[in-house]
Amino acid sequence: MKTVLVVDDTPDSIMVLCALLKGRYDTRVAISGEAALRLLGAAPVDLVLLDAVMPGMDGYEVCRRIRANPATVAVPVVFLTAQSAPEDAARAVAAGASGHLAKPVEPALLLAMVERLLAR
């Protein structure tokens, strides 16, 4: 089973995403960018669902660090964020994101994106 890392500082968002992925994927959770990078260093994952706005290290910096690490450079990263302006999506792509979805996330769209990215 493929593993998805959910990175978000909001417990409600984590619960919703984990419930949506349950039975389809193994999930790991990090509540900060720093914790996400530690988890990625400890065990590989197949995809990261990443909040953009978090205290401390934001999602854009997390994504840049994922892309800078040879061990994680190929891991797809999808931003899930309340920031839905075109410039926010452009910033995510510039940081190395594979996708950008606005919260609240449409479950069918999220699952379709995850399945497409994990099929590679």
Side-chain angles (χ1 to χ4, degrees):
M1 189 175 284
K2 301 275 186 166
T3 302
V4 176
L5 174 60
V6 175
V7 185
D8 202 308
D9 62 317
T10 306
D12 288 344
S13 293
I14 292 169
M15 288 188 330
V16 167
L17 291 169
C18 288
L20 184 62
L21 299 170
K22 187 177 181 173
R24 293 179 169 98
Y25 306 101
D26 286 331
T27 56
R28 295 192 187 131
V29 173
I31 60 170
S32 70
E34 294 85 352
L37 294 173
R38 280 194 303 275
L39 281 172
L40 284 166
V45 301
D46 299 296
L47 184 134
V48 177
L49 298 178
L50 181 60
D51 187 19
V53 179
M54 296 181 288
M57 186 185 307
D58 69 15
Y60 303 104
E61 180 61 24
V62 173
C63 191
R64 283 189 287 274
R65 291 187 187 196
I66 290 170
R67 292 293 168 252
N69 183 339
T72 57
V73 67
V75 175
V77 176
V78 176
F79 274 82
L80 305 177
T81 178
Q83 297 180 316
S84 59
E87 57 269 18
D88 297 315
R91 186 174 176 203
V93 170
S98 308
H100 180 275
L101 297 173
K103 289 180 182 177
V105 175
E106 170 57 44
L109 180 58
L110 173 66
L111 289 174
M113 185 175 286
V114 168
E115 288 171 16
R116 179 183 62 81
L117 290 169
L118 290 177
R120 296 179 176 186

